Amino acid sequence: MSSMEDVGELKQSGDLTGDGGVIKEILQPGRGTERPEKGDEIIMHYVGKLQDGSIVDSSRTRGQAFKFKLGKGSVIRGWDLVTRTLAKGEKALVTLGPEYAYGQTGSPPRIPPNATLTFEMELENWISAKDLFGDGAVMKAGETEGGGWERPGMFSEVTCKIVAKRLEPSPEKVLFDGEKVFSVGTGTAHKAWDKIVQDMKKDGSVSLICTSPYVSGPGVDFVPADVTKVQYDITLLHWLKVEDVSGDRGVMKKILREGDGWETPNEGAFVSVNIEYRVVTEGVAGDVVIKHEPFIFTVIDGAVAEGIDVAVQKMKLNELAIVYLKAPYAFGSCPNMCPPRIKATDDLEVKIELLSFDRSKDSWSLSVDEKKKQIIARKAKGNQLFKVGRLKLAMRHYEIGTSLFEYRTAELSPEVAREVNELTMACHLNLAACYKKQNDMEKVLVHTKKAIDIEPTNVKALYRRGCAYLELDNFFKAERDFKRALEIQPENSEVKRKLAELSRIIAKQDEADRRRYSNMFAKAK
């Protein structure tokens, strides 16, 4: 016996497989006659031993039952077979030959090759795969598997054939027979459809019997209010992969045509695309307002909206995709670049075809001279983007600049080391300025410290760190940095002004403290 399909021939105890490979002895009978089925989530306690009695694994020791999906290949072969014979609460002693356990290789270091194992197994419970939500309100009534191995992922745009039939109140009646398109995991479809399609393959089908509260749902406008039970027959026709490339749903990429190979453009890559922009109003894309065939740009150089930079780095050669941009990733990221008929507050639908790209060299492959030139270029580009308000892009260039010599694999001459340190320090200080604009003082502290580590006497770094400490009400450390800066540059008027401001703040706080404590003592009398 070699498959779950043969399990109908299994006995409830004794030699289950007829070849001595799976021997089961019932230690404690279970409750009822129901047994778990393929796809059910099993909740099992067990103690596994070698033939010499030594324990190799135990859920009892961990104090937590083991969970697995039955018949999905997630446990050893003998377990899949035995579990199908267990009733709820049943406890059994099971002996598994090597061919039903870990075979000729074993599972080092605990289980040697060709080991026979014994398991004391207790089926605590299971969650039926037929009961979709575990509350009996949506039950599978039958399914066919479909072909291939892929299944729709989160956000995939799926097309299903749906036949909806009223079961109660009688008589039965077909309420809908047609196709429905929806995006997985976005709350735009019936909750049961949304869950079940994620476990379906192409051309697979399933029947769901739904009662309250799952008779209807989002995307269902054909079920009358008096209907109390509906059968949905669902066939998965096809789907388009959709990826949340920004991680916050600000940039969603739907693949219309798969690309070639595995390489994608990186930061600094020179790319050529065909591109079309449409404005999205109330979720609906309008006519094409901009079209470039082709459009050539360098990734993260500020030539396009932020979301386009993000999206093309996730595309393969010849890939065709629809990219949905929320306004902050569209021209909201660069209002001064807004073309005619597009506003900074508009969400966009952008069709992109990646025609060609030349990847920029990875940092590990750059020579010392090339890395030095890169820092100079990144710093200059960051400064340019900072001036036009492209803060996030500017920060990315500064970050790359700081990373190029982070791990030095070659000895630098004193002159080159001095130049590299100056450039790296400048990038850290510029990052500190960016984070100050974002009011993120903790990050300001991080980058000013790195600058000070490079050059302890850098007045600009000490001043910026002192200002960050002042914003965080750490007056002691702020005063220390300002005074240190003045020791280095006694005539620096900006540092003097900030130190005077700090003195006034401290004096004002001291006066407030004196009054508060004076009032406290007066009340105590």
Side-chain angles (χ1 to χ4, degrees), residues 50-81:
L50 297 174
Q51 284 186 300
D52 64 5
S54 58
I55 294 176
V56 294
D57 196 13
S58 171
S59 66
R60 302 286 186 189
T61 302
R62 291 192 297 273
Q64 186 175 14
F66 176 59
K67 296 180 181 180
F68 66 96
K69 289 289 183 71
L70 182 58
K72 298 293 185 177
S74 56
V75 292
I76 55 178
R77 186 180 172 199
W79 266 52
D80 263 338
L81 292 169

Side-chain angles (χ1 to χ4, degrees), residues 37-53:
E37 298 180 1
K38 183 177 179 179
D40 291 351
E41 183 177 1
I42 306 300
I43 304 169
M44 182 86 74
H45 267 300
Y46 68 93
V47 178
K49 299 179 181 180
L50 297 174
Q51 284 186 300
D52 64 5

Side-chain angles (χ1 to χ4, degrees), residues 395-425:
M395 291 169 72
R396 186 61 196 132
H397 281 277
Y398 296 142
E399 285 167 356
I400 295 170
T402 63
S403 69
L404 285 166
F405 282 92
E406 189 172 6
Y407 304 105
R408 301 186 183 182
T409 56
E411 271 301 317
L412 304 180
S413 68
E415 184 181 344
V416 172
R418 186 163 50 252
E419 190 176 358
V420 165
N421 284 341
E422 287 175 2
L423 289 166
T424 303
M425 182 179 63

Side-chain angles (χ1 to χ4, degrees), residues 77-93:
R77 186 180 172 199
W79 266 52
D80 263 338
L81 292 169
V82 171
T83 302
R84 292 290 293 270
T85 71
L86 296 171
K88 189 177 296 186
E90 183 176 335
K91 185 183 291 186
L93 184 64

Side-chain angles (χ1 to χ4, degrees), residues 8 29 58 100 104 136 189 209 224 228 248 285 316 336 367 409 428 457 467 478:
S58 171
Y100 291 94
Q104 295 180 357
I209 307 299
T228 57
D248 59 3
K316 299 172 185 174
N336 58 326
S367 67
T409 56
H428 278 301
T457 59
C467 290

